[in-house]
Amino acid sequence: MQDANDADRRECPEYAEPRNLIAHRNGPVAPDAGTAPVVPADPDGQSAGPAEQLRRDAELFRGVFRNMNAGVMVLRPVHAHGDDCADFTLLDINPAGERLSSLTRAECTGSLLSGLLPVPVAATLREALARAWRSGIAEHLPSFLYSDKIRGCWRHYFISRADSGDLLLIYEDVTERYTALANLAAGEEKYRALVENTPDIIMRFDGDLRLACVNAAVSPYLGPPEALMGRGVAELGLAPQVAEFWARQLRGVLESGRPVQTDYVFHGPAGRVLFDWRLVPERRGDGGVASVLSLLRDVTRQRSMEHDFRTLFRKLITSFAVHEMLLDDEGRPVDFRFLTVNPAFEAMAGRRAEDVLGRAGSEVFGPQDPAWIATLGRVALTGEPLHTERYSRNMGKWLEMAVYRVRERQFAIIAADITERRNARRERRLGAARLSALHRLSRMDAAPERSIMRFALEQAVRLTGSELGYLALVDGGRVPADGVLWSHLMTEPARLAAPSGDARDGRTDGRTDGRAGVAGPWSEVVRSGQPEIRNEAPTGGGGWAGVSGAPGVSGQPDAPDSANTAGLTSAMGVRDVPGAPGAEPVHRVGDISLWRHLAVPVLEEGRLVAVAGVANKDMPYERADHRQLELFMHGMWEHIARRRAMVSLRRAKESAEAANRSKDEFLANMSHELRTPLNGVLGMLQLLDGPDLSDERRGYLRTAVESGHALLRIIDDLLDLSALGAGGSGLRDEPFDPAAVLRQVAEMVGPAARRR
């Protein structure tokens, strides 16, 4: 027998079957049968003899042993004392066993099992192997965790004893199976917990419309779940018509196999409840419907909130619109489509919802600004929100906008009209700038009038955000040829203000008095005395449609991009802003087209003295521009009028002072001229006084002398008055006799009084 087994090993040296097992399966083999010749088969394919059959069985066993997926170890007990087995020797192991146990056949053959496996595993297997060896009954071990220092896995073991006493240990790795079962159990547990704890009512009805499963959420409506199990629809405590409705819906799903979703109003102990009811068919393996899963979700509060939201959406005073971003083939934003708008949007945009829903922005408002479309696309594609203030050229309003993503490729815009607020803020800012400019202007006392006017003109252009401006001085209802001042950008004013009646065709104004005036954009204001605001809507490119850019440093929106303004610089050095195709500018001055124009009259005591104008602002001129230009130019002209009045007053003062000096000189000369003859008269009167005069005549003479002296004092007083006006005299202390003064006055006027 040993020779035969050795021959078998030599014949198939790799994974040879243990000899005792071969002997057990194929019967006893003669000691010299190891090299027995193969008996030829009969022509009909029948076996030639027992030796050939034995060889074939051995080959079959070796093939199965080598190729089976389960690991197989052939073990022999050692140190056997009666029924005691201390350990087991490994006689052979198949390739699957090598792979599963991380062993190699050449190194482990002949080794003890306790030295090949981890200690806990070896101890468990040794007990089972010993039982199978003692009893001869196959052992089937429950799956247990096989682990060592490197890894852990689940193994399934089967032990069988051969008649020779050798043991076959067959094992397989069931880790994936156990992991799947564990995951399934965990999933079922989670599903059970989810079903039990969800607020939705979950019910399963079988083909007979009986309740097969229900969760605890049904308790407030139909009672405890355990009392409902196995009942039919009519036995759930529903009103007859409600039960009939339920049965009809369930039966329809069973028959059609199609799911159903509807709103369902339930009247129960909790009052009126609105459910979102879904019926889902559950199919058998053959595709038929085995049961119906009913899902009832309380949406009462949700529907109420939706109703409130719709009401708020309709009553919202701010514009609200939802859009879908449109992309090109390369995924770049190119436009947007209107999905939803509220009434506030309709009022703000001046368009009805049915006229914009489903349409692209370019269809509703014309070509869109690519930069603005890219900004909206970033919100719709990345979810990055945006809050900005922008000017809508379509609506002619400033909007405060909050833009956020609703869902993939969709975004919402909440917009509020802040035109009035922004205008007020801009008026405050411009008012401060205007006051600052007027303060600077008030300090230009020594500057010529033309310099003051030019400074005011440049400040007006800056305040209104315009490109150019002019100041046309009016004299007698006309603008003289030298009465127009242009802002510094107008490099050749002579070519702009030639005497003509129409700036477009060069005709004269028809005057026959030889005082032909210069016509221009100021002509209408000169004729009517009213301000002029004209705004042509330039739409020369995408940047002029839709929503403009954010405001720049000066408080005005950014100018159109270079693509819209390239090549628009005229020979005059001023940009000629293009208008809509086929549109005409409001004025044309030389080579310059004025697409937007603001002009205001400048009045002095109700009389038109000048016209101030600005032109070609990036955005339409507004009330704030008109107010600031009017106030600033009025302040400028008041300053000029005040300067002129000061000059007139100064000249009048100089004339008055000259007249006063002449008067003083006249009085001084006249006093000297009067004093000389008066002194002669007094001298002659003194000579007449003699002893031969009667008392009456002597009284007359004394009166004449005193009157002469009085007249002399009056002349002295006139000289003192002249000196006082020149600052050369003052009051002086001098003694006098009041009684004498009174007597002298009485004597002078007494004769005349007596005659009356």
Side-chain angles (χ1 to χ4, degrees), residues 32-45:
D32 56 350
T35 58
V38 178
V39 179
D42 293 337
D44 57 1

mmCIF file with all atom_site columns, all heavy atoms in Angstrom, residues 32-45:
data_model
loop_
_atom_site.group_PDB
_atom_site.id
_atom_site.type_symbol
_atom_site.label_atom_id
_atom_site.label_alt_id
_atom_site.label_comp_id
_atom_site.label_asym_id
_atom_site.label_entity_id
_atom_site.label_seq_id
_atom_site.pdbx_PDB_ins_code
_atom_site.Cartn_x
_atom_site.Cartn_y
_atom_site.Cartn_z
_atom_site.occupancy
_atom_site.B_iso_or_equiv
_atom_site.pdbx_formal_charge
_atom_site.auth_seq_id
_atom_site.auth_comp_id
_atom_site.auth_asym_id
_atom_site.auth_atom_id
_atom_site.pdbx_PDB_model_num
ATOM 1  N N   . ASP A 1 32 ? 2.631   -3.932 -4.512  1.00 0.00 ? 32 ASP A N   1
ATOM 2  C CA  . ASP A 1 32 ? 3.370   -3.687 -5.742  1.00 0.00 ? 32 ASP A CA  1
ATOM 3  C C   . ASP A 1 32 ? 2.505   -3.060 -6.812  1.00 0.00 ? 32 ASP A C   1
ATOM 4  O O   . ASP A 1 32 ? 2.847   -3.069 -7.982  1.00 0.00 ? 32 ASP A O   1
ATOM 5  C CB  . ASP A 1 32 ? 3.948   -5.000 -6.277  1.00 0.00 ? 32 ASP A CB  1
ATOM 6  C CG  . ASP A 1 32 ? 2.865   -6.061 -6.495  1.00 0.00 ? 32 ASP A CG  1
ATOM 7  O OD1 . ASP A 1 32 ? 1.711   -5.805 -6.040  1.00 0.00 ? 32 ASP A OD1 1
ATOM 8  O OD2 . ASP A 1 32 ? 3.172   -7.079 -7.108  1.00 0.00 ? 32 ASP A OD2 1
ATOM 9  N N   . ALA A 1 33 ? 1.389   -2.493 -6.418  1.00 0.00 ? 33 ALA A N   1
ATOM 10 C CA  . ALA A 1 33 ? 0.488   -1.908 -7.427  1.00 0.00 ? 33 ALA A CA  1
ATOM 11 C C   . ALA A 1 33 ? 0.855   -0.495 -7.788  1.00 0.00 ? 33 ALA A C   1
ATOM 12 O O   . ALA A 1 33 ? 0.208   0.117  -8.623  1.00 0.00 ? 33 ALA A O   1
ATOM 13 C CB  . ALA A 1 33 ? -0.964  -1.947 -6.923  1.00 0.00 ? 33 ALA A CB  1
ATOM 14 N N   . GLY A 1 34 ? 1.885   0.048  -7.129  1.00 0.00 ? 34 GLY A N   1
ATOM 15 C CA  . GLY A 1 34 ? 2.231   1.444  -7.398  1.00 0.00 ? 34 GLY A CA  1
ATOM 16 C C   . GLY A 1 34 ? 2.653   1.653  -8.825  1.00 0.00 ? 34 GLY A C   1
ATOM 17 O O   . GLY A 1 34 ? 2.447   2.704  -9.395  1.00 0.00 ? 34 GLY A O   1
ATOM 18 N N   . THR A 1 35 ? 3.290   0.624  -9.446  1.00 0.00 ? 35 THR A N   1
ATOM 19 C CA  . THR A 1 35 ? 3.746   0.791  -10.829 1.00 0.00 ? 35 THR A CA  1
ATOM 20 C C   . THR A 1 35 ? 3.009   -0.121 -11.768 1.00 0.00 ? 35 THR A C   1
ATOM 21 O O   . THR A 1 35 ? 3.531   -0.515 -12.796 1.00 0.00 ? 35 THR A O   1
ATOM 22 C CB  . THR A 1 35 ? 5.243   0.497  -10.911 1.00 0.00 ? 35 THR A CB  1
ATOM 23 O OG1 . THR A 1 35 ? 5.485   -0.835 -10.442 1.00 0.00 ? 35 THR A OG1 1
ATOM 24 C CG2 . THR A 1 35 ? 6.042   1.474  -10.050 1.00 0.00 ? 35 THR A CG2 1
ATOM 25 N N   . ALA A 1 36 ? 1.791   -0.492 -11.392 1.00 0.00 ? 36 ALA A N   1
ATOM 26 C CA  . ALA A 1 36 ? 1.021   -1.413 -12.230 1.00 0.00 ? 36 ALA A CA  1
ATOM 27 C C   . ALA A 1 36 ? 0.750   -0.793 -13.573 1.00 0.00 ? 36 ALA A C   1
ATOM 28 O O   . ALA A 1 36 ? 0.411   0.386  -13.651 1.00 0.00 ? 36 ALA A O   1
ATOM 29 C CB  . ALA A 1 36 ? -0.300  -1.766 -11.537 1.00 0.00 ? 36 ALA A CB  1
ATOM 30 N N   . PRO A 1 37 ? 0.888   -1.568 -14.668 1.00 0.00 ? 37 PRO A N   1
ATOM 31 C CA  . PRO A 1 37 ? 0.625   -1.028 -15.996 1.00 0.00 ? 37 PRO A CA  1
ATOM 32 C C   . PRO A 1 37 ? -0.853  -0.755 -16.178 1.00 0.00 ? 37 PRO A C   1
ATOM 33 O O   . PRO A 1 37 ? -1.707  -1.367 -15.558 1.00 0.00 ? 37 PRO A O   1
ATOM 34 C CB  . PRO A 1 37 ? 1.097   -2.124 -16.939 1.00 0.00 ? 37 PRO A CB  1
ATOM 35 C CG  . PRO A 1 37 ? 0.975   -3.382 -16.136 1.00 0.00 ? 37 PRO A CG  1
ATOM 36 C CD  . PRO A 1 37 ? 1.283   -3.024 -14.717 1.00 0.00 ? 37 PRO A CD  1
ATOM 37 N N   . VAL A 1 38 ? -1.107  0.198  -17.035 1.00 0.00 ? 38 VAL A N   1
ATOM 38 C CA  . VAL A 1 38 ? -2.487  0.571  -17.333 1.00 0.00 ? 38 VAL A CA  1
ATOM 39 C C   . VAL A 1 38 ? -3.042  -0.438 -18.304 1.00 0.00 ? 38 VAL A C   1
ATOM 40 O O   . VAL A 1 38 ? -2.438  -0.730 -19.339 1.00 0.00 ? 38 VAL A O   1
ATOM 41 C CB  . VAL A 1 38 ? -2.559  1.983  -17.930 1.00 0.00 ? 38 VAL A CB  1
ATOM 42 C CG1 . VAL A 1 38 ? -3.986  2.348  -18.280 1.00 0.00 ? 38 VAL A CG1 1
ATOM 43 C CG2 . VAL A 1 38 ? -1.976  2.988  -16.942 1.00 0.00 ? 38 VAL A CG2 1
ATOM 44 N N   . VAL A 1 39 ? -4.238  -1.002 -17.954 1.00 0.00 ? 39 VAL A N   1
ATOM 45 C CA  . VAL A 1 39 ? -4.876  -1.994 -18.814 1.00 0.00 ? 39 VAL A CA  1
ATOM 46 C C   . VAL A 1 39 ? -5.616  -1.275 -19.927 1.00 0.00 ? 39 VAL A C   1
ATOM 47 O O   . VAL A 1 39 ? -6.402  -0.369 -19.654 1.00 0.00 ? 39 VAL A O   1
ATOM 48 C CB  . VAL A 1 39 ? -5.859  -2.866 -18.004 1.00 0.00 ? 39 VAL A CB  1
ATOM 49 C CG1 . VAL A 1 39 ? -6.532  -3.890 -18.907 1.00 0.00 ? 39 VAL A CG1 1
ATOM 50 C CG2 . VAL A 1 39 ? -5.129  -3.538 -16.862 1.00 0.00 ? 39 VAL A CG2 1
ATOM 51 N N   . PRO A 1 40 ? -5.397  -1.587 -21.212 1.00 0.00 ? 40 PRO A N   1
ATOM 52 C CA  . PRO A 1 40 ? -6.084  -0.895 -22.303 1.00 0.00 ? 40 PRO A CA  1
ATOM 53 C C   . PRO A 1 40 ? -7.582  -1.099 -22.209 1.00 0.00 ? 40 PRO A C   1
ATOM 54 O O   . PRO A 1 40 ? -8.061  -2.146 -21.809 1.00 0.00 ? 40 PRO A O   1
ATOM 55 C CB  . PRO A 1 40 ? -5.504  -1.545 -23.566 1.00 0.00 ? 40 PRO A CB  1
ATOM 56 C CG  . PRO A 1 40 ? -4.224  -2.176 -23.124 1.00 0.00 ? 40 PRO A CG  1
ATOM 57 C CD  . PRO A 1 40 ? -4.406  -2.597 -21.714 1.00 0.00 ? 40 PRO A CD  1
ATOM 58 N N   . ALA A 1 41 ? -8.315  -0.077 -22.594 1.00 0.00 ? 41 ALA A N   1
ATOM 59 C CA  . ALA A 1 41 ? -9.787  -0.152 -22.575 1.00 0.00 ? 41 ALA A CA  1
ATOM 60 C C   . ALA A 1 41 ? -10.261 -0.924 -23.782 1.00 0.00 ? 41 ALA A C   1
ATOM 61 O O   . ALA A 1 41 ? -9.586  -0.996 -24.818 1.00 0.00 ? 41 ALA A O   1
ATOM 62 C CB  . ALA A 1 41 ? -10.375 1.254  -22.570 1.00 0.00 ? 41 ALA A CB  1
ATOM 63 N N   . ASP A 1 42 ? -11.463 -1.509 -23.643 1.00 0.00 ? 42 ASP A N   1
ATOM 64 C CA  . ASP A 1 42 ? -12.087 -2.210 -24.760 1.00 0.00 ? 42 ASP A CA  1
ATOM 65 C C   . ASP A 1 42 ? -12.493 -1.224 -25.829 1.00 0.00 ? 42 ASP A C   1
ATOM 66 O O   . ASP A 1 42 ? -12.633 -0.031 -25.565 1.00 0.00 ? 42 ASP A O   1
ATOM 67 C CB  . ASP A 1 42 ? -13.332 -2.981 -24.277 1.00 0.00 ? 42 ASP A CB  1
ATOM 68 C CG  . ASP A 1 42 ? -12.910 -4.134 -23.342 1.00 0.00 ? 42 ASP A CG  1
ATOM 69 O OD1 . ASP A 1 42 ? -11.747 -4.556 -23.456 1.00 0.00 ? 42 ASP A OD1 1
ATOM 70 O OD2 . ASP A 1 42 ? -13.739 -4.510 -22.485 1.00 0.00 ? 42 ASP A OD2 1
ATOM 71 N N   . PRO A 1 43 ? -12.665 -1.723 -27.064 1.00 0.00 ? 43 PRO A N   1
ATOM 72 C CA  . PRO A 1 43 ? -13.081 -0.806 -28.133 1.00 0.00 ? 43 PRO A CA  1
ATOM 73 C C   . PRO A 1 43 ? -14.376 -0.088 -27.826 1.00 0.00 ? 43 PRO A C   1
ATOM 74 O O   . PRO A 1 43 ? -14.615 1.020  -28.296 1.00 0.00 ? 43 PRO A O   1
ATOM 75 C CB  . PRO A 1 43 ? -13.229 -1.726 -29.348 1.00 0.00 ? 43 PRO A CB  1
ATOM 76 C CG  . PRO A 1 43 ? -12.297 -2.857 -29.062 1.00 0.00 ? 43 PRO A CG  1
ATOM 77 C CD  . PRO A 1 43 ? -12.346 -3.085 -27.589 1.00 0.00 ? 43 PRO A CD  1
ATOM 78 N N   . ASP A 1 44 ? -15.285 -0.669 -27.003 1.00 0.00 ? 44 ASP A N   1
ATOM 79 C CA  . ASP A 1 44 ? -16.555 0.019  -26.708 1.00 0.00 ? 44 ASP A CA  1
ATOM 80 C C   . ASP A 1 44 ? -16.434 1.002  -25.553 1.00 0.00 ? 44 ASP A C   1
ATOM 81 O O   . ASP A 1 44 ? -17.413 1.559  -25.092 1.00 0.00 ? 44 ASP A O   1
ATOM 82 C CB  . ASP A 1 44 ? -17.654 -1.009 -26.415 1.00 0.00 ? 44 ASP A CB  1
ATOM 83 C CG  . ASP A 1 44 ? -17.249 -1.924 -25.255 1.00 0.00 ? 44 ASP A CG  1
ATOM 84 O OD1 . ASP A 1 44 ? -16.133 -1.717 -24.701 1.00 0.00 ? 44 ASP A OD1 1
ATOM 85 O OD2 . ASP A 1 44 ? -18.051 -2.801 -24.897 1.00 0.00 ? 44 ASP A OD2 1
ATOM 86 N N   . GLY A 1 45 ? -15.170 1.226  -25.016 1.00 0.00 ? 45 GLY A N   1
ATOM 87 C CA  . GLY A 1 45 ? -14.964 2.252  -23.984 1.00 0.00 ? 45 GLY A CA  1
ATOM 88 C C   . GLY A 1 45 ? -15.089 1.715  -22.584 1.00 0.00 ? 45 GLY A C   1
ATOM 89 O O   . GLY A 1 45 ? -14.999 2.491  -21.632 1.00 0.00 ? 45 GLY A O   1
#
